[in-house]
Amino acid sequence: MKLKQLLKLILINITQNKMRTFLTTLGVIVGTATIFLVVAIGKGGEAQINEQYSKLNVGTIIVMAAPRGRVVDPLTKKDAQLFLASENITRAFPVLRGNGDINYDNYSTSGNYMAIQPEFQVSNNLIVEQGRELEEEDENKKNKCAVIGAELANTLTDGNPSEIVGHSISINSRKFEVVGIYKAVGDSGSGMSYDDSVFIPYSVGERFLLGTRANPTINVQATSIDTVQLAIEDITAILNETHRAGGAEQFRILDAGSRLVAAQESARSMSMLLLAVAIVVLIVSGIGIMNVMFVTVKERTREIGTLKAIGAKKREILGQFLIEAVVISLVGGVLGVIVGFVAVPLLKYFELPALPSISGILLGLVFSVITGVFFGFYPAWKAAEFNPIDALRYE
Amino acid sequence: MEHGAKIVIDTRQLVKIYQNGSEELKVLDDVNIKVSNSDFIAILGPSGSGKSTLMNILGCLDIPTSGQYYLDGLDVLKASDNELAEIRNKKIGFIFQKFNLLPKLTAVQNVMLPLLYRGVKEEEAWETAREKLSILGLEARLHHRPNELSGGQQQRVAIARAIVGTPQLLLADEPTGNLDSKSSGDAMEIFKELNRQGNTIVIITHDIEVAEQVRKIFYIRDGKIHENG
């Protein structure tokens, strides 16, 4: 029999048992939708990570106080200068972070501020949208000026950020003149959004806002991604030398590359976990298909006998029932992909990044077909092997 | 007989033994039958006489324990599974007691099936099937499913399916067993007409009235064949 006619025959059988077909496909729908979403979430997460870290140079190293550790003698501006002696390091500058009350024109909010040297703007791709950036002169003269992030400017001015340039704001009751606004950069990946922060010269922050409690982190730029490890070794050696009281152990040295890798790995292991769930769902639904196919074959025993009597070959019976199982699972697969598409906006609502993709659709469909073939084969083979006399006699 | 020379069925010393534990049950014992082209014969016997086993072997659904069977000159016992399927498809038309129509297919789809298994194009198969159904007076019932047809009509669909591929042999198993007396009379008239047109027909029955309407009767009892009683 030609494939086209075989398919017609199969469709007649499937469509005349719509309810059973649908119930059989439920598991496949869930399984395929899960696979589709796994891929979508994986891709979405990857895109998010890449976007976050695209702003962070992979050669960036951050030296900071170890979390929960007691810092005996904190990092200083001088350490940054010492790091520059290493041939593997091109840039090193301290950064101070803090938060406090920020006021502008009777409007008050609590926010982050960062005391930076001008180089920080280069290595973090901070570009001014309006006004000017922080300059070397501000640092040297301890100018009480500030450049603010796009989001914060928006908040303070109630949606009219341009008006703030040239005016003064106060941070913890100290006045600063706003000289510029940075372009929005999105999430920095460091847990603190630059768009929501205000930036002031390092020397000013050290003197007026944080004083002796200053506990800076030092941003270091390695000459290239290959020298990151060497640079970390140099930093450790220098810290051990200069901070004899506590040694390098009181600090934590992070490099952006390994953070990126760690983030990607955790996203990947999440995907693998979800994929494993999807495969378990498909196996269970496959067993369901196998059950239904056994029932179908049993119900149609006499029909199989008749088909054999009028000339159906074993492979044609095998093909008929195998394709029937595959069609059922493929229907489930297609419905599953549709369900997946419907679920994507839902995930986005819950702030799970999901990116539908062709590879997700294909993977879902391929797995649904594999399920049909794998679990449909045994019942179909049984049907093909029926002895025609016994099958014809079956009541 | 017009085409008397050609032999359609030729069995020699057919023996069928069923092994039931250590007990051997000889269902067919040295069966020799010759059926010529355009013959119309009945194999008559009570239940348990071995007539069903004989029909299965003649229909290439079963193989004998020993002996030889030539169908239309072909040594059936040397054929592979696939070749047997092809022989059943091309050389034999089955008519079952319970009609065995596929319940989900319409009358015309049921009749088309043997041609489709043969690889005939769908349009051509449909046309041939329609033609056979019209000859049997079912022109208006082409798209009815079996459960929408009377027993007699189902029987005629089954006959149409058997003859659609112009097989060398029509094999009918208790063809009137599930019909009322009128339909059963009609069915016999159809068989007689088919025979007049040159079809070779073998009817398996336990009904002496059916058997008496054919040209030649083989009686079967305890696995042995007797011609004319």
Side-chain angles (χ1 to χ4, degrees):
Chain A
M1 190 181 281
K2 292 194 176 66
L3 188 64
K4 195 180 121 198
Q5 283 122 24
L6 200 59
L7 281 174
K8 252 188 195 172
L9 197 61
I10 289 162
L11 284 181
I12 288 172
N13 280 312
I14 288 179
T15 51
Q16 296 213 348
N17 236 328
K18 286 194 193 79
M19 197 60 197
R20 180 194 285 180
T21 305
F22 175 70
L23 290 176
T24 313
T25 57
L26 271 181
V28 185
I29 293 174
V30 174
T32 312
T34 312
I35 287 185
F36 173 81
L37 289 174
V38 165
V39 177
I41 290 170
K43 295 245 176 209
E46 203 176 301
Q48 197 182 43
I49 290 167
N50 287 343
E51 197 205 315
Q52 279 174 12
Y53 284 89
S54 65
K55 292 176 200 100
L56 209 57
N57 196 315
V58 283
T60 301
I61 301 165
I62 294 169
V63 186
M64 59 198 279
R68 291 185 296 274
R70 239 174 63 85
V71 181
V72 182
D73 50 342
L75 291 165
T76 61
K77 206 194 293 196
K78 218 180 130 206
D79 289 319
Q81 274 148 20
L82 289 172
F83 293 160
L84 284 173
S86 160
E87 56 177 5
N88 299 310
I89 292 169
T90 56
R91 268 202 298 264
F93 48 84
V95 177
L96 282 168
R97 293 160 195 262
N99 49 47
D101 293 323
I102 299 168
N103 283 282
Y104 169 69
D105 194 23
N106 295 330
Y107 186 85
S108 174
T109 181
S110 74
N112 302 312
Y113 60 84
M114 297 178 78
I116 58 166
Q117 293 185 338
E119 281 174 303
F120 181 92
Q121 301 168 105
V122 181
S123 65
N124 285 283
N125 298 323
L126 288 172
I127 297 158
V128 285
E129 174 118 61
Q130 276 180 54
R132 63 170 179 85
E133 55 178 29
L134 293 173
E135 285 159 6
E136 207 59 52
E137 199 185 306
D138 300 322
E139 182 68 26
N140 296 336
K141 292 189 172 170
K142 297 193 173 59
N143 287 337
K144 288 172 78 178
C145 58
V147 179
I148 57 183
E151 197 61 40
L152 183 65
N154 223 14
T155 311
L156 289 174
T157 60
D158 200 16
N160 193 13
S162 54
E163 67 172 50
I164 202 170
V165 180
H167 291 78
S168 42
I169 59 170
S170 68
I171 306 170
N172 287 348
S173 307
R174 296 205 178 246
K175 275 198 180 320
F176 291 83
E177 189 200 349
V178 177
V179 295
I181 301 172
Y182 291 124
K183 278 185 183 161
V185 290
D187 195 340
S188 68
S190 59
M192 189 188 276
S193 169
Y194 293 160
D195 295 340
D196 259 335
S197 303
V198 53
F199 298 82
I200 56 175
Y202 184 82
S203 55
V204 180
E206 195 178 37
R207 177 155 171 199
F208 293 108
L209 287 173
L210 291 149
T212 49
R213 291 180 291 122
N215 188 2
T217 61
I218 296 177
N219 282 24
V220 178
Q221 189 66 46
T223 48
S224 76
I225 187 160
D226 303 321
T227 58
V228 167
Q229 278 315 311
L230 293 172
I232 289 172
E233 282 166 26
D234 291 346
I235 290 168
T236 311
I238 292 166
L239 289 175
N240 276 330
E241 186 71 24
T242 55
H243 293 257
R244 284 178 190 271
E249 290 84 56
Q250 57 186 332
F251 305 110
R252 192 170 174 200
I253 303 170
L254 293 175
D255 68 290
S258 59
R259 280 167 69 197
L260 177 62
V261 169
Q264 280 169 341
E265 264 170 11
S266 78
R268 201 166 298 140
S269 54
M270 184 69 179
S271 291
M272 291 315 287
L273 189 74
L274 284 168
L275 196 66
V277 171
I279 287 172
V280 169
V281 172
L282 280 178
I283 288 173
V284 173
S285 66
I287 292 168
I289 290 179
M290 188 150 79
N291 254 320
V292 169
M293 289 314 292
F294 270 130
V295 172
T296 304
V297 166
K298 204 172 168 66
E299 272 179 1
R300 280 154 64 186
T301 301
R302 218 147 65 90
E303 187 178 318
I304 294 162
T306 309
L307 292 179
K308 287 195 161 199
I310 64 175
K313 297 189 174 84
K314 274 183 185 177
R315 62 160 188 272
E316 286 167 320
I317 300 286
L318 179 82
Q320 180 178 338
F321 285 93
L322 188 57
I323 294 171
E324 187 166 324
V326 171
V327 169
I328 289 174
S329 63
L330 193 58
V331 167
V334 171
L335 290 177
V337 168
I338 293 170
V339 169
F341 264 106
V342 172
V344 165
L346 218 66
L347 289 180
K348 283 196 174 139
Y349 180 77
F350 290 111
E351 298 193 337
L352 258 173
L355 211 67
S357 64
I358 298 285
S359 56
I361 296 172
L362 288 182
L363 197 69
L365 291 182
V366 164
F367 265 96
S368 72
V369 169
I370 288 174
T371 305
V373 172
F374 188 81
F375 291 97
F377 187 84
Y378 186 55
W381 181 79
K382 280 278 233 193
E385 290 295 319
F386 273 160
N387 178 339
I389 306 164
D390 296 338
L392 280 168
R393 215 179 278 149
Y394 186 86
E395 290 297 330
Chain B
M1 257 179 270
E2 291 170 73
H3 317 282
K6 210 173 164 205
I7 304 289
V8 177
I9 291 176
D10 182 2
T11 74
R12 294 172 200 171
Q13 289 115 40
L14 280 189
V15 174
K16 181 72 181 180
I17 296 168
Y18 284 116
Q19 199 82 32
N20 189 2
S22 59
E23 219 176 313
E24 279 190 352
L25 188 64
K26 211 173 207 178
V27 184
L28 292 181
D29 188 1
D30 193 27
V31 170
N32 297 288
I33 297 179
K34 275 192 175 47
V35 177
S36 306
N37 198 18
S38 297
D39 250 354
F40 189 9
I41 71 157
I43 295 173
L44 182 69
S47 62
S49 60
K51 65 183 192 301
S52 289
T53 304
L54 180 57
M55 192 203 81
N56 287 335
I57 291 173
L58 294 180
C60 300
L61 293 167
D62 200 359
I63 43 173
T65 311
S66 67
Q68 283 164 308
Y69 174 25
Y70 295 91
L71 174 64
D72 198 28
L74 212 93
D75 188 349
V76 169
L77 303 182
K78 282 193 178 136
S80 68
D81 264 4
N82 272 344
E83 284 164 345
L84 281 177
E86 225 162 285
I87 290 169
R88 289 195 293 266
N89 182 250
K90 290 184 177 158
K91 294 193 182 295
I92 302 169
F94 283 97
I95 297 147
F96 299 97
Q97 179 175 6
K98 289 175 182 163
F99 322 132
N100 285 23
L101 299 173
L102 271 62
K104 286 170 192 161
L105 301 187
T106 61
V108 71
Q109 285 170 331
N110 262 291
V111 177
M112 282 163 75
L113 270 182
L115 294 180
L116 295 181
Y117 276 115
R118 202 181 283 190
V120 172
K121 277 207 195 82
E122 196 177 341
E123 298 74 26
E124 200 182 321
W126 196 91
E127 191 44 49
T128 315
R130 191 199 59 77
E131 191 188 310
K132 298 292 178 198
L133 283 167
S134 313
I135 292 171
L136 290 164
L138 290 170
E139 175 92 65
R141 297 280 185 276
L142 295 185
H143 302 295
H144 287 59
R145 297 221 165 71
N147 61 4
E148 299 161 336
L149 299 171
S150 72
Q153 288 169 332
Q154 290 185 46
Q155 173 72 300
R156 276 182 280 157
V157 176
I159 292 171
R161 184 175 66 186
I163 62 172
V164 75
T166 55
Q168 275 74 17
L169 170 66
L170 288 180
L171 213 48
D173 181 17
E174 302 278 8
T176 59
N178 269 24
L179 297 176
D180 57 57
S181 57
K182 169 155 191 325
S183 300
S184 135
D186 290 348
M188 287 314 292
E189 286 312 312
I190 293 169
F191 283 125
K192 284 179 202 164
E193 176 57 30
L194 287 172
N195 178 245
R196 269 195 290 279
Q197 291 165 8
N199 287 289
T200 312
I201 302 173
V202 174
I203 291 179
I204 316 282
T205 185
H206 68 278
D207 185 346
I208 186 74
E209 281 181 41
V210 168
E212 278 171 347
Q213 299 180 55
V214 308
R215 292 196 193 169
K216 196 195 295 181
I217 305 177
F218 289 98
Y219 295 89
I220 183 166
R221 190 164 290 122
D222 298 329
K224 284 186 192 295
I225 285 277
H226 316 273
E227 222 168 309
N228 298 324

